[in-house]
Amino acid sequence: MTNTAPTPKPLAGWRVLVPRGGPWGDSVAADLRSKGASPVVAAMINFAPTADAPALEAALARLAAGEFDWMTVTSATTVDVLSAQRVVVPPTTRVAAVGETTAAALAAAGYRVDLVPAEDNSARGLLAEWEAATQGAFPLRILTLRSEIAKPLLTEGLRRIGHDVESVVAYRTVGVSVPESVVAEVREGLFQAILVTSGSVAEQVQQQLGPVPESTLIAAIGPQTARDARSFGLRVDVIAAERTAASLIDAVVKVAQSRAVDTDEYDY
């Protein structure tokens, strides 16, 4: 009986920096390990309480009381706020997530998701599919939860359609200092990849870790994140085909595989 050597995992030998903690970071780290990588979770952003806590508390109380037909959630960080405040979403209120990453965070926190854009995982994509998904019903009472720095694209778009929209700031994004050991290891080229999941993360990567060595792959979760990263002076080497954590990891895997092929071709 012939024993065949197991096929090496595509990210074997790769150390990957995961810049977000919490359930999202843990899930991504687990997926990376399943592909052979050695992930290091080092949160570079966190959320701070909104400057208008009474407005948020009042809106969430109305949410729990069933006063909204829909709630829109545009980031995984908003899900962290909902979880931290133990928010209860009544069955009469439907939930729209701006993309798969946010939807996955909602599911992981125990919330259901009724609508995720099928094509474009963005506020613009959600608006494009809104009327078809809601059968053109209006005016709907909608609660939009957002970060302090988020552009009000979704809120304004829903209002233009004719809906009754209450927009509330759920959190402020703040930078988190990573351990000095991580900073030193990045600068020494000891990470093969860094995942960049938002403009806020990109800003912190550039501020705390830049300039990142050319040998370290910088992978962005989507075109907007890539644009934001470049605006902060951070180069981007690869962009995920879809705005999901799985697609982001796949993009890193493809680069690793192409590098492995190149190495094999020159390994005489």
Side-chain angles (χ1 to χ4, degrees), residues 215-226:
S215 60
T216 302
L217 182 77
I218 300 177
I221 202 167
Q224 184 59 55
T225 296

Side-chain angles (χ1 to χ4, degrees), residues 4 18 25 32-33 41 48 81 101 122 141 143 156 165 167-168 178 195 218 246:
T4 57
V18 180
L32 286 165
R33 285 190 198 95
V41 178
V81 174
T101 300
S122 68
R141 296 166 302 165
L143 173 63
E156 291 176 356
V165 184
S167 179
V168 179
V178 297
L195 306 184
I218 300 177

Side-chain angles (χ1 to χ4, degrees), residues 148-178:
E148 187 177 53
I149 61 174
K151 299 179 180 70
L153 175 67
L154 183 58
T155 297
E156 291 176 356
L158 290 170
R159 283 176 177 158
R160 276 197 300 272
I161 296 171
H163 296 301
D164 179 7
V165 184
E166 180 171 350
S167 179
V168 179
V169 173
Y171 64 94
R172 293 178 295 119
T173 301
V174 294
V176 176
S177 297
V178 297

Side-chain angles (χ1 to χ4, degrees), residues 102-126:
T102 304
L106 282 161
Y111 295 104
R112 74 180 185 285
V113 181
D114 300 289
L115 174 60
V116 185
E119 298 295 330
D120 179 2
N121 278 194
S122 68
R124 189 171 283 103
L126 185 57

Side-chain angles (χ1 to χ4, degrees), residues 80 97 181:
D80 294 337
S181 59

